[in-house]
Amino acid sequence: MKYIPQALIDKLNEKWQIEATEAQPNLRLVATQATVNTLISEPIHEDIPSAFGDVAIRQLPGEKTPSRAYAVCIDNGITKVYERHFPADLDNPWQYIWTLTNAKDVGIEFNGNWVLEANNRWYILETEETPYLFWIGTDDALYAQKWDDGATQIILDIGVSQISVCKGWRSTLMLGLDQGLIVGYLKGGKVYYRAFCYQDTGELIWEPSYEVTELGTGNNTLSVFRTNDFRIGFVCENAGQIKWTLSQRNYAGMSFRPETVNAQVQNVVCLIENTKNVFLQSDGTDHAVADIEGLWFLQYPTTAPTLSVTRTEKINVDAKNASGFKLFLNLPISSVLEDLASKITITPTMTVASVSYDSVLQALVITVSPNFVRSIDVTISIAESRGAYYFKHPGQKHPLEALSGSVAREIISLYGNAKNETVNAEINNPRVILVNAVFRYSVHKETAAATVQGVSVILTAVSSLPI
């Protein structure tokens, strides 16, 4: 029989004693399998009753994973906006940002473009910088607004009881195939929706309201969702039953990976034909250099947009002079603008002082020297250049094409009569003054006649503006 030390016996007796007296401490560990970009079920705020809310995820162009989440909640009838940075861990809790308004229901969603992720076989939504907010006001009207920009606020409908928002699918190849940013809502028990989407002309507008007649009337709740097979769905609760319907697919050019062509230059051969030998004295330093510069391989559909100037503005100095121009573009370009100033022609002739690109305004900024008066017409032409590029098609760079714009003079037009104008003049109470008069008293009655000839009207210049 092996001897057991007394210290070990005491340790074993202590273990049973702790369990018997229920004095043993317990630790409960809850582990959840998720990625760093998954929003785990956590409270956005505490000690505040919340009735309604919605969450949207942001992933900007160039980001490999989502970078931020936004939430909008109704706290005691007041709409509040929150944000959370990724990765979604304990070090990045939800933070309150600002208060919107009083509301009965709210929604939040990003607009953006669907882009095929380079390393995978699915599309991701590259979002805009800020989301759109939707809410039902105390007047039962449905409002939409781009983030905190009150100038973009619009009323989409009235008499609304509930909303749900979702970003639909948009074709990457055909401009008009866009389900848009969709807000569904209940109105009198019926289901309606409006879509903020691109038209065939390239214009982005809110389309009219449409009723989802398949869901009938008497609906109590509504949820709008997006499917992986390029549809939009509407699901409702109606008298204890769940009803749902799906849209048509919008998968033109998106259900399979596009074909790609990788090109590179190899084995370059320099051929010199019809040579003529000229023997000269040489110091042994003669050499020939051949290189390829500015080589582009372009492949894109015929529907791809072309870079152009949408509008122009003067860079203001004062009420009389301006120092340059802003040319707003329909597509963003790279900020590399090598030697672009030499390709700019301005009429009347002006010296280009600098050229830069404002990525926020999506505009070329051209300054001239010296400043010019604002009362002249100006035309600007920019020759095609390979000093910068833009994406004519997803993943397809294209050199800058020729651009042109014009800036109209700033004048005040004064409109007169189309016919020749006349001036009527009359003389009242004329007086006849006799200078060095000689009186002949033998004449009893004298008469003096006076005429006015050659009346002229003089217009005095009061401004440099044309009449």
Side-chain angles (χ1 to χ4, degrees):
M1 180 176 176
K2 186 176 181 180
Y3 171 75
I4 301 177
Q6 185 62 38
L8 181 57
I9 294 176
D10 294 341
K11 195 174 206 58
L12 291 173
N13 290 334
E14 182 181 359
K15 176 180 183 300
W16 303 120
Q17 180 182 359
I18 290 175
E19 292 184 358
T21 59
E22 296 183 355
Q24 183 179 7
N26 293 301
L27 175 65
R28 182 174 180 229
L29 177 65
V30 178
T32 303
Q33 182 180 1
T35 67
V36 295
N37 293 315
T38 299
L39 287 174
I40 305 173
S41 298
E42 299 176 5
I44 297 177
H45 50 66
E46 298 178 351
D47 302 327
I48 300 176
S50 179
F52 301 95
D54 196 9
V55 176
I57 306 297
R58 187 186 80 175
Q59 183 171 350
L60 300 177
E63 295 180 344
K64 295 182 179 180
T65 57
S67 59
R68 196 169 300 182
Y70 291 95
V72 57
C73 303
I74 298 181
D75 300 329
N76 294 323
I78 300 176
T79 304
K80 296 183 178 180
V81 183
Y82 301 81
E83 72 171 353
R84 185 176 190 178
H85 293 260
F86 285 117
D89 51 31
L90 295 178
D91 296 329
N92 291 314
W94 286 96
Q95 300 288 339
Y96 164 77
I97 309 178
W98 53 286
T99 298
L100 180 60
T101 183
N102 295 334
K104 296 182 178 180
D105 196 5
V106 290
I108 185 172
E109 183 61 285
F110 278 94
N111 204 0
N113 295 314
W114 292 100
V115 179
L116 184 64
E117 209 281 326
N119 298 323
N120 299 299
R121 294 186 177 182
W122 55 77
Y123 282 83
I124 61 174
L125 178 62
E126 289 187 345
T127 66
E128 297 177 345
E129 182 75 20
T130 54
Y132 283 82
L133 298 174
F134 303 85
W135 70 93
I136 299 176
T138 55
D139 56 355
D140 294 332
L142 172 56
Y143 295 86
Q145 178 176 302
K146 181 66 178 295
W147 196 229
D148 57 352
D149 186 1
T152 64
Q153 186 179 123
I154 182 176
I155 297 179
L156 299 179
D157 209 335
I158 58 175
V160 179
S161 59
Q162 187 195 347
I163 60 174
S164 178
V165 294
C166 180
K167 171 61 180 175
W169 294 98
R170 177 189 174 196
S171 172
T172 58
L173 298 177
M174 304 182 69
L175 188 62
L177 295 183
D178 183 15
Q179 292 172 335
L181 178 58
I182 299 174
V183 51
Y185 55 93
L186 295 180
K187 181 177 180 180
K190 298 181 180 179
V191 179
Y192 296 85
Y193 73 91
R194 292 193 66 173
F196 189 51
C197 55
Y198 284 94
Q199 309 300 302
D200 293 337
T201 59
E203 184 182 9
L204 182 62
I205 64 170
W206 280 105
E207 291 188 343
S209 176
Y210 297 98
E211 180 185 355
V212 184
T213 57
E214 293 82 355
L215 296 175
T217 60
N219 298 290
N220 300 319
T221 62
L222 169 66
S223 179
V224 183
F225 61 94
R226 180 180 61 246
T227 69
N228 287 337
D229 62 344
F230 312 104
R231 302 174 188 261
I232 289 294
F234 297 83
V235 58
C236 294
E237 189 273 330
N238 190 322
Q241 293 183 339
I242 301 298
K243 295 183 178 181
W244 59 282
T245 185
L246 294 174
S247 69
Q248 298 293 327
R249 290 187 177 94
N250 188 31
Y251 60 0
M254 298 177 65
S255 59
F256 57 88
R257 291 182 66 87
E259 297 178 350
T260 59
V261 175
N262 296 322
Q264 59 181 341
V265 180
Q266 293 181 342
N267 302 324
V268 178
V269 178
C270 180
L271 299 178
I272 302 176
E273 299 180 353
N274 301 325
T275 61
K276 181 179 181 181
N277 296 327
V278 178
F279 297 98
L280 300 174
Q281 185 177 359
S282 174
D283 58 1
T285 60
D286 296 340
H287 62 278
V289 177
D291 59 6
I292 297 178
E293 183 179 358
L295 180 64
W296 296 75
F297 183 83
L298 305 176
Q299 184 184 29
Y300 45 82
T302 57
T303 56
T306 300
L307 185 67
S308 62
V309 176
T310 58
R311 61 187 178 92
T312 57
E313 288 184 1
K314 296 186 182 77
I315 300 177
N316 298 328
V317 175
D318 53 38
K320 184 178 180 181
N321 298 303
S323 64
F325 313 92
K326 293 180 182 179
L327 276 63
F328 293 85
L329 306 177
N330 63 331
L331 297 169
I333 67 174
S334 70
S335 58
V336 180
L337 300 172
E338 299 177 357
D339 196 30
L340 190 61
S342 62
K343 299 181 180 296
I344 298 177
T345 302
I346 301 178
T347 305
T349 303
M350 300 179 188
T351 301
V352 177
S354 66
V355 182
S356 61
Y357 177 65
D358 190 324
S359 59
V360 177
L361 297 178
Q362 198 170 298
L364 286 172
V365 181
I366 303 172
T367 60
V368 299
S369 179
N371 298 340
F372 63 96
V373 295
R374 305 161 68 92
S375 59
I376 61 173
D377 292 324
V378 179
T379 58
I380 307 167
S381 300
I382 305 177
E384 60 182 10
S385 170
R386 298 190 178 187
Y389 63 86
Y390 71 100
F391 285 97
K392 193 177 185 71
H393 189 64
Q396 172 66 67
K397 296 180 180 179
H398 194 286
L400 296 188
E401 294 156 322
L403 301 172
S404 62
S406 62
V407 182
R409 70 181 71 180
E410 298 180 24
I411 61 174
I412 299 176
S413 299
L414 302 177
Y415 300 98
N417 295 328
K419 298 181 180 180
N420 294 331
E421 295 181 352
T422 59
V423 177
N424 296 323
E426 61 181 10
I427 299 176
N428 296 321
N429 301 321
R431 291 185 301 168
V432 177
I433 299 177
L434 301 178
V435 181
N436 299 326
V438 178
F439 295 94
R440 302 294 184 181
Y441 294 100
S442 60
V443 179
H444 297 283
K445 184 178 181 180
E446 295 181 353
T447 301
T451 62
V452 179
Q453 296 180 349
V455 177
S456 62
V457 177
I458 300 176
L459 298 179
T460 303
V462 296
S463 171
S464 61
L465 298 176
I467 296 178

Short mmCIF file of all heavy atoms in Angstrom, two decimals, residues 6 25 37 109 137-138 158 162 172 191 229 250 260 273-274 313 322 326 329 336 402 424 439 446:
data_model
loop_
_atom_site.label_atom_id
_atom_site.label_comp_id
_atom_site.label_asym_id
_atom_site.label_seq_id
_atom_site.Cartn_x
_atom_site.Cartn_y
_atom_site.Cartn_z
N GLN A 6 -0.09 13.78 3.79
CA GLN A 6 -1.19 14.44 4.49
C GLN A 6 -1.64 15.69 3.74
O GLN A 6 -2.84 16.02 3.72
CB GLN A 6 -0.75 14.81 5.90
CG GLN A 6 -1.88 15.39 6.74
CD GLN A 6 -3.04 14.41 6.95
OE1 GLN A 6 -2.80 13.17 7.12
NE2 GLN A 6 -4.28 14.88 6.91
N PRO A 25 -16.67 28.74 -6.75
CA PRO A 25 -17.00 29.75 -7.77
C PRO A 25 -17.17 29.12 -9.14
O PRO A 25 -16.52 28.12 -9.45
CB PRO A 25 -15.78 30.69 -7.72
CG PRO A 25 -14.67 29.83 -7.22
CD PRO A 25 -15.28 28.85 -6.27
N ASN A 37 -15.78 41.17 -38.85
CA ASN A 37 -16.69 42.11 -39.50
C ASN A 37 -18.15 41.70 -39.34
O ASN A 37 -19.00 42.11 -40.11
CB ASN A 37 -16.35 42.23 -40.98
CG ASN A 37 -15.00 42.89 -41.18
OD1 ASN A 37 -14.71 43.88 -40.56
ND2 ASN A 37 -14.18 42.32 -42.03
N GLU A 109 -30.20 52.95 -45.28
CA GLU A 109 -29.59 52.08 -46.30
C GLU A 109 -28.61 52.90 -47.13
O GLU A 109 -28.78 54.11 -47.33
CB GLU A 109 -30.66 51.45 -47.19
CG GLU A 109 -30.13 50.48 -48.24
CD GLU A 109 -29.41 49.28 -47.65
OE1 GLU A 109 -28.26 49.48 -47.20
OE2 GLU A 109 -29.98 48.17 -47.65
N GLY A 137 -42.92 60.63 -40.42
CA GLY A 137 -43.06 61.72 -39.47
C GLY A 137 -44.34 61.62 -38.67
O GLY A 137 -45.19 60.74 -38.89
N THR A 138 -44.50 62.53 -37.74
CA THR A 138 -45.72 62.56 -36.94
C THR A 138 -46.94 62.90 -37.78
O THR A 138 -48.08 62.70 -37.34
CB THR A 138 -45.57 63.59 -35.81
OG1 THR A 138 -45.22 64.87 -36.38
CG2 THR A 138 -44.46 63.17 -34.85
N ILE A 158 -47.67 60.15 -48.54
CA ILE A 158 -48.37 60.55 -47.32
C ILE A 158 -49.29 59.42 -46.90
O ILE A 158 -49.61 58.51 -47.69
CB ILE A 158 -49.17 61.85 -47.54
CG1 ILE A 158 -50.18 61.69 -48.69
CG2 ILE A 158 -48.23 63.01 -47.82
CD1 ILE A 158 -51.08 62.90 -48.87
N GLN A 162 -45.89 52.07 -42.20
CA GLN A 162 -44.67 51.32 -41.90
C GLN A 162 -43.76 51.33 -43.12
O GLN A 162 -44.23 51.40 -44.27
CB GLN A 162 -44.97 49.87 -41.49
CG GLN A 162 -43.72 49.13 -41.01
CD GLN A 162 -43.92 47.62 -40.96
OE1 GLN A 162 -45.03 47.13 -41.07
NE2 GLN A 162 -42.82 46.89 -40.84
N THR A 172 -24.14 45.75 -64.27
CA THR A 172 -22.87 46.43 -64.50
C THR A 172 -22.63 46.70 -65.98
O THR A 172 -21.65 47.37 -66.32
CB THR A 172 -21.71 45.57 -63.96
OG1 THR A 172 -21.74 44.29 -64.61
CG2 THR A 172 -21.85 45.37 -62.47
N VAL A 191 -49.46 47.43 -50.06
CA VAL A 191 -48.00 47.53 -50.14
C VAL A 191 -47.62 48.36 -51.36
O VAL A 191 -48.06 48.08 -52.48
CB VAL A 191 -47.35 46.12 -50.24
CG1 VAL A 191 -45.83 46.25 -50.36
CG2 VAL A 191 -47.72 45.30 -49.01
N ASP A 229 -30.24 35.51 -56.11
CA ASP A 229 -30.44 35.28 -57.54
C ASP A 229 -31.01 36.54 -58.20
O ASP A 229 -31.82 36.47 -59.11
CB ASP A 229 -31.35 34.08 -57.79
CG ASP A 229 -32.75 34.27 -57.22
OD1 ASP A 229 -32.93 35.17 -56.38
OD2 ASP A 229 -33.65 33.52 -57.62
N ASN A 250 -32.67 40.50 -62.22
CA ASN A 250 -31.95 41.60 -62.87
C ASN A 250 -30.47 41.21 -62.95
O ASN A 250 -29.61 41.87 -62.40
CB ASN A 250 -32.11 42.90 -62.08
CG ASN A 250 -31.54 44.09 -62.83
OD1 ASN A 250 -31.55 44.13 -64.05
ND2 ASN A 250 -31.02 45.05 -62.10
N THR A 260 -11.86 38.02 -69.21
CA THR A 260 -10.79 39.00 -69.09
C THR A 260 -9.65 38.65 -70.03
O THR A 260 -9.47 37.49 -70.40
CB THR A 260 -10.26 39.05 -67.65
OG1 THR A 260 -9.76 37.75 -67.29
CG2 THR A 260 -11.33 39.48 -66.67
N GLU A 273 14.83 49.14 -91.65
CA GLU A 273 14.78 48.79 -93.06
C GLU A 273 15.38 49.91 -93.92
O GLU A 273 15.41 51.07 -93.51
CB GLU A 273 13.34 48.50 -93.48
CG GLU A 273 12.71 47.34 -92.73
CD GLU A 273 11.29 47.09 -93.17
OE1 GLU A 273 10.78 47.92 -93.95
OE2 GLU A 273 10.69 46.09 -92.75
N ASN A 274 15.81 49.51 -95.14
CA ASN A 274 16.37 50.46 -96.10
C ASN A 274 17.47 51.30 -95.46
O ASN A 274 17.45 52.53 -95.47
CB ASN A 274 15.27 51.38 -96.66
CG ASN A 274 14.17 50.59 -97.35
OD1 ASN A 274 14.44 49.57 -97.99
ND2 ASN A 274 12.94 51.06 -97.23
N GLU A 313 -17.78 76.37 -63.96
CA GLU A 313 -17.96 77.50 -63.05
C GLU A 313 -16.71 78.36 -63.07
O GLU A 313 -15.60 77.87 -63.32
CB GLU A 313 -18.21 77.02 -61.61
CG GLU A 313 -19.56 76.41 -61.35
CD GLU A 313 -19.76 76.06 -59.89
OE1 GLU A 313 -18.81 76.33 -59.11
OE2 GLU A 313 -20.81 75.52 -59.55
N ALA A 322 -12.43 87.16 -62.16
CA ALA A 322 -12.33 85.75 -61.79
C ALA A 322 -10.91 85.28 -62.07
O ALA A 322 -10.20 85.86 -62.89
CB ALA A 322 -13.35 84.91 -62.55
N LYS A 326 -13.65 75.88 -62.97
CA LYS A 326 -13.87 74.52 -62.50
C LYS A 326 -14.67 73.77 -63.56
O LYS A 326 -15.76 74.21 -63.93
CB LYS A 326 -14.61 74.50 -61.16
CG LYS A 326 -13.81 75.06 -60.00
CD LYS A 326 -14.62 75.02 -58.72
CE LYS A 326 -13.84 75.63 -57.56
NZ LYS A 326 -14.65 75.61 -56.31
N LEU A 329 -16.82 66.94 -64.02
CA LEU A 329 -16.79 65.78 -64.90
C LEU A 329 -17.88 64.80 -64.51
O LEU A 329 -18.30 64.71 -63.34
CB LEU A 329 -15.42 65.10 -64.83
CG LEU A 329 -14.21 66.01 -65.10
CD1 LEU A 329 -12.92 65.23 -64.93
CD2 LEU A 329 -14.29 66.63 -66.49
N VAL A 336 -3.35 62.02 -61.16
CA VAL A 336 -2.07 62.24 -61.85
C VAL A 336 -2.34 63.08 -63.09
O VAL A 336 -3.00 62.64 -64.02
CB VAL A 336 -1.41 60.90 -62.24
CG1 VAL A 336 -0.09 61.15 -62.95
CG2 VAL A 336 -1.19 60.04 -61.00
N ALA A 402 -10.50 63.93 -75.13
CA ALA A 402 -10.57 65.38 -75.32
C ALA A 402 -11.79 65.94 -74.60
O ALA A 402 -12.88 65.37 -74.67
CB ALA A 402 -10.60 65.72 -76.80
N ASN A 424 -39.58 113.01 -79.00
CA ASN A 424 -40.43 114.17 -79.25
C ASN A 424 -40.13 115.24 -78.21
O ASN A 424 -40.10 114.97 -77.01
CB ASN A 424 -41.91 113.78 -79.18
CG ASN A 424 -42.29 112.80 -80.27
OD1 ASN A 424 -41.78 112.90 -81.40
ND2 ASN A 424 -43.17 111.86 -79.95
N PHE A 439 -35.22 151.02 -81.83
CA PHE A 439 -36.65 151.23 -81.90
C PHE A 439 -36.98 152.28 -82.96
O PHE A 439 -36.38 153.36 -82.99
CB PHE A 439 -37.20 151.67 -80.54
CG PHE A 439 -37.06 150.62 -79.48
CD1 PHE A 439 -35.96 150.63 -78.64
CD2 PHE A 439 -38.01 149.63 -79.34
CE1 PHE A 439 -35.83 149.66 -77.68
CE2 PHE A 439 -37.88 148.66 -78.39
CZ PHE A 439 -36.78 148.66 -77.55
N GLU A 446 -44.98 145.45 -84.43
CA GLU A 446 -43.88 144.60 -84.92
C GLU A 446 -44.13 143.15 -84.49
O GLU A 446 -44.66 142.90 -83.40
CB GLU A 446 -42.54 145.09 -84.36
CG GLU A 446 -42.14 146.46 -84.86
CD GLU A 446 -40.80 146.89 -84.31
OE1 GLU A 446 -40.27 146.15 -83.45
OE2 GLU A 446 -40.28 147.92 -84.74
#
